[in-house]
Amino acid sequence: MEVKTIDKDIHITGQSDFDLRHIFDCGQCFRFDPDGDDSYIGTAFGKTVKLTAEGNSIILHDTAMEDFNDVWYDYLDLSRDYSAIKRSLTEDGDPVMAEAVRFGNGIRILRQELWETMISFIISASNNIPRIKKIIGTLCESFGEPHEYRGKIYYSFPSPERIAGLSLEELDIIRAGFRSKYILDCAKKVVSGEIDLDAIRAMPTPDAKKALMSIWGIGNKVSDCILLFGLGRCDSFPVDVWIKRIMEYCYFDNTPQSIKTISEFADKKFGELGGMAQQYLFFYARELRIGTK
DNA sequence: CACCAGGCAAGCC
DNA sequence: GGCTTGCATGGT
């Protein structure tokens, strides 16, 4: 991988295993959208970037090297060798994983902000992805901090303090339904120190999961998503309706299984790479629209 | 109209 | 422990 600045843009060459559609359409992130051919634009850590990817090269438009080094290099998980991960996931000859990896070959697991991930996946419960994106977008536009990028205004994800200061009625403009009370409660607990995000970051995964699940609105599946996307615990294998369907379809002769059975099967089969396997399978299931035809 | 969407909490047994 | 039900809202 080589990185250089040309005009106001950062150009990366020699970066394999990177496809914007695979990355931003595999359900991990709700704040990036297509922006013309081969490009996506979105906001993370209070910064906005337009990304263009073609072949093995990536452009970060109107981006300072400082922001690339401080934010985007880690956010885009550029240090990880996904070729090695894909080899490892498929070395047992499993045709299902081979096909899933072929479909989502450019997936990377973004290293997202913990707080944003917590609230985003509380909102995700019993919801669909377009509406999750809409609710989070309204949340940011209503209560985030504005900044300008390429002549337009974008908004940061609102802080725990900002949300904790709202009334339930004020928060209702995001139309999150029954999830609003969870969001408000979570923000208040983070602000009061009852929930300590730094402490959770430092915990072993089982302890972090228990701490997350003590929060109202965060259960088994949502905590697994937060572990994977917000805490970088790549062994976490969230089982949602899509994963349940694709796992039953591919590994259980299309017969219904409990979430516990699927989780145990995945842990045993994928181990430390469970989260990676989950993302390839999620993207694969949605591309095939398994169970929805 | 019923049913579903990246589930969860609470109430049952 | 596992199983059932209600839950806000918007789209089919």
Side-chain angles (χ1 to χ4, degrees):
Chain A
M1 190 188 87
E2 192 183 334
V3 183
K4 57 186 173 183
T5 301
I6 301 176
D7 296 327
K8 292 178 177 177
D9 304 335
I10 306 276
H11 287 240
I12 300 169
T13 51
Q15 176 63 63
S16 61
D17 312 303
F18 190 100
D19 184 302
L20 293 173
R21 190 175 72 85
H22 295 172
I23 292 166
F24 293 114
D25 203 17
C26 68
Q28 60 178 324
C29 166
F30 304 106
R31 296 208 67 204
F32 274 76
D33 291 300
D35 185 52
D37 293 342
D38 303 316
S39 298
Y40 276 72
I41 188 163
T43 301
F45 293 92
K47 308 273 185 182
T48 296
V49 68
K50 173 173 170 153
L51 300 166
T52 303
E54 217 176 328
N56 279 357
S57 65
I58 309 165
I59 300 169
L60 291 81
H61 299 267
D62 294 278
T63 298
M65 189 59 81
E66 187 184 357
D67 285 339
F68 174 72
N69 290 326
D70 290 350
V71 177
W72 303 117
Y73 179 78
D74 286 329
Y75 181 76
L76 297 169
D77 203 21
L78 294 180
S79 65
R80 201 187 299 271
D81 182 353
Y82 279 79
S83 294
I85 288 166
K86 289 187 275 190
R87 275 198 302 277
S88 179
L89 281 174
T90 55
E91 68 188 356
D92 66 354
D94 176 4
V96 172
M97 190 49 61
E99 190 70 351
V101 163
R102 194 176 71 76
F103 268 71
N105 60 78
I107 285 173
R108 307 185 84 82
I109 297 192
L110 301 168
R111 296 175 185 260
Q112 301 184 69
E113 201 180 5
L114 176 58
W115 164 246
E116 176 173 337
T117 311
M118 289 167 64
I119 297 303
S120 295
F121 282 91
I122 285 174
I123 292 169
S124 79
S126 189
N127 213 336
N128 57 65
I129 290 178
R131 200 163 84 92
I132 297 165
K133 292 180 80 164
K134 191 170 184 185
I135 291 169
I136 293 172
T138 307
L139 177 68
C140 295
E141 284 169 25
S142 303
F143 307 116
E145 296 294 328
H147 59 269
E148 191 181 331
Y149 178 74
R150 291 167 64 89
K152 290 170 88 172
I153 301 297
Y154 296 86
Y155 296 87
S156 67
F157 195 90
S159 67
E161 290 76 12
R162 181 73 176 98
I163 293 177
L166 301 170
S167 68
L168 203 49
E169 291 71 28
E170 288 174 298
L171 191 55
D172 261 343
I173 67 168
I174 70 173
R175 310 301 291 159
F178 64 87
R179 307 164 193 87
S180 280
K181 57 183 180 291
Y182 300 148
I183 296 168
L184 197 53
D185 185 65
C186 182
K188 285 179 176 172
K189 283 176 175 163
V190 169
V191 170
S192 74
E194 186 179 339
I195 300 294
D196 183 342
L197 299 186
D198 287 328
I200 291 176
R201 281 190 189 91
M203 288 176 189
T205 297
D207 295 344
K209 176 154 179 164
K210 274 183 205 164
L212 290 168
M213 285 184 65
S214 75
I215 299 168
W216 208 23
I218 300 180
N220 181 59
K221 186 268 172 182
V222 169
S223 65
D224 282 342
C225 285
I226 297 166
L227 288 169
L228 179 56
F229 305 128
L231 289 166
R233 308 303 168 91
C234 291
D235 56 335
S236 179
F237 189 91
V239 180
D240 60 37
V241 290
W242 289 97
I243 290 296
K244 188 170 183 297
R245 280 197 292 252
I246 189 84
M247 290 292 285
E248 287 163 352
Y249 183 77
C250 293
Y251 295 113
F252 294 94
D253 197 27
N254 211 20
T255 55
Q257 304 293 321
S258 71
I259 287 172
K260 188 167 180 289
T261 301
I262 292 172
S263 296
E264 287 169 357
F265 178 88
D267 287 345
K268 195 170 176 183
K269 180 167 173 55
F270 304 122
E272 294 300 304
L273 297 177
M276 308 291 178
Q278 195 269 6
Q279 285 298 272
Y280 292 117
L281 289 167
F282 183 84
F283 185 83
Y284 181 46
R286 286 176 60 85
E287 289 289 297
L288 294 182
R289 305 204 60 74
I290 290 283
T292 62
K293 283 182 188 174

